[in-house]
Amino acid sequence: MNTQSTPIRVLTVDDSASMRALLLGALTSRGFAVEQCEDGQEALEWLASNEVDVIITDINMPRLDGFGLIEKLRGSALHAERPILVLTTESSDEKKQRARNAGATGWIVKPFDTDKLTAALRRVIH
Amino acid sequence: MTAMNPIAAATIEMLRVTIVQGEAKASTDPRVEMSTILGSCVATCLFDPVARVGGMNHFLLAEPPRHVRNQQFDSDYGLFLMELLINQMLGLRASKGRMRARLCGGANLNPDLAPIGTANAAFARQFLDRERIPCVFEDLEGTQARRIQFRPASGQVRARLVPAETAPTQKPLGRPQSALGTVELF
């Protein structure tokens, strides 16, 4: 459980360098501790030996996409209950349902609103 | 599919698709020709030469919406339109690592106003550089509007200068309702 003095640890997973830079700036300016991975495969490898409080992932990524990442994490002991938010340009109900079925905690449409995103992060870790 | 010779191509009826401000579309159809007129707006044409998939977006970024602080320029929305284009191409089996870009537009039509065309051109160049997508052609900035035609299945772009009055409204349309960062918790 996080105390007020410990920053909330976030892992962001997105293959776009621009989006990673944007998220890093937005979240660190609000006091979050941010780690970043370039795709689902890298995230899976990093999460095998590291912990965070919440994961934000894109969907369309090389090697392992967002759906695949969520499914694998939900099958793991360490991250089965970890809050995972999908951050995506995708707008179809089908994809949203697929994310929900895979075990995602929430769905955020790009471009994100920093206030809404940070409020969601604080809400899902409790 | 075999390459068409110019004479055969001329006899095929082209499907002309206009890409207006705020849109991003991709296609593999060799009959499709995407076109638009650009004043200060910028069009990004992306092409994967192996999958023969191409797409174009069209944007004019200006001030961000009220809830976005500390920014003079709505680069978040620009990023969204770039990603929308890339995702559409990925959906047609393109690979980001093979994409090549061509940039057009970004003119500063009115010397008495802030150089919004230059700002949009700079955003596009910076995005491509950051994403490591090579820009193989650019026809940007200056003081004149442009009409561009892009064939997504071949990657060919044609740009020519046109009178400024043919360019559509130079006002940024702003983000649509769908681009306001909605959060849904399951």
Side-chain angles (χ1 to χ4, degrees):
Chain A
M1 176 136 170
N2 249 310
T3 63
Q4 281 249 300
S5 57
T6 311
I8 296 170
R9 299 162 300 173
V10 183
L11 173 69
T12 67
V13 191
D14 199 306
D15 65 320
S16 162
S18 298
M19 181 53 64
R20 287 198 304 275
L22 189 64
L23 279 166
L24 182 67
L27 294 177
T28 53
S29 70
R30 299 296 178 92
F32 293 84
V34 180
E35 293 292 337
Q36 303 200 296
C37 288
E38 293 189 7
D39 63 22
Q41 187 59 40
E42 188 184 343
L44 210 57
E45 289 162 10
W46 191 85
L47 287 165
S49 49
N50 292 282
E51 278 200 39
V52 286
D53 298 307
V54 57
I55 298 162
I56 301 173
T57 181
D58 187 16
I59 289 185
N60 294 298
M61 297 181 290
R63 297 200 298 166
L64 184 66
D65 69 10
F67 298 126
L69 174 62
I70 296 168
E71 284 161 7
K72 286 187 185 290
L73 290 176
R74 289 305 181 228
S76 75
L78 194 54
H79 300 289
E81 302 296 324
R82 190 79 54 203
I84 305 174
L85 298 178
V86 173
L87 175 61
T88 178
T89 54
E90 296 282 356
S91 55
S92 78
D93 288 336
E94 184 205 329
K95 298 241 167 116
K96 193 193 300 187
Q97 190 57 44
R98 190 174 166 195
R100 194 197 301 241
N101 293 344
T105 313
W107 176 272
I108 307 171
V109 177
K110 288 177 182 174
F112 64 85
D113 173 327
T114 304
D115 288 338
K116 290 178 186 169
L117 175 61
T118 53
L121 291 172
R122 294 200 167 91
R123 191 160 153 200
V124 298
I125 64 162
H126 293 114
Chain B
M1 178 159 187
T2 55
M4 281 187 247
N5 68 52
I7 295 172
T11 62
I12 293 172
E13 190 179 325
M14 300 303 292
L15 298 172
R16 300 188 197 284
V17 178
T18 302
I19 309 294
V20 300
Q21 195 191 131
E23 284 190 328
K25 287 186 184 160
S27 176
T28 57
D29 192 335
R31 297 169 302 165
V32 168
E33 181 173 88
M34 297 176 177
S35 68
T36 195
I37 299 180
L38 306 166
S40 303
C41 297
V42 168
T44 313
C45 301
L46 294 181
F47 179 60
D48 176 339
V50 173
R52 312 229 33 106
V53 179
M56 180 199 288
N57 68 12
H58 177 163
F59 59 85
L60 178 61
L61 310 178
E63 291 162 7
R66 261 196 309 259
H67 67 265
V68 178
R69 292 174 249 168
N70 305 321
Q71 271 188 40
Q72 299 292 331
F73 190 68
D74 197 2
S75 53
D76 293 10
Y77 185 51
L79 187 55
F80 163 73
L81 286 173
M82 287 296 194
E83 194 161 328
L84 203 61
L85 175 59
I86 290 171
N87 283 351
Q88 291 208 24
M89 289 184 59
L90 295 178
L92 293 173
R93 311 277 176 97
S95 162
K96 192 172 174 186
R98 295 193 300 249
M99 289 181 193
R100 303 287 179 263
R102 290 159 172 83
L103 294 175
C104 296
N108 301 304
L109 301 181
N110 188 333
D112 297 327
L113 298 179
I116 193 70
T118 297
N120 277 264
F123 164 79
R125 287 189 187 107
Q126 185 188 64
F127 174 84
L128 294 175
D129 185 57
R130 220 175 218 169
E131 300 301 314
R132 295 198 287 260
I133 297 174
C135 184
V136 298
F137 170 82
E138 64 168 62
D139 186 5
L140 290 166
E141 300 186 70
T143 57
Q144 290 187 264
R146 295 167 173 89
R147 172 189 289 282
I148 67 163
Q149 289 154 309
F150 174 62
R151 299 213 175 164
S154 68
Q156 293 171 357
V157 168
R158 191 165 54 177
R160 64 176 187 276
L161 302 176
V162 295
E165 47 271 20
T166 60
T169 173
Q170 290 307 289
K171 283 182 60 162
L173 296 178
R175 300 186 184 189
Q177 277 300 112
S178 57
L180 297 176
T182 315
V183 173
E184 184 178 339
L185 298 181
F186 298 143

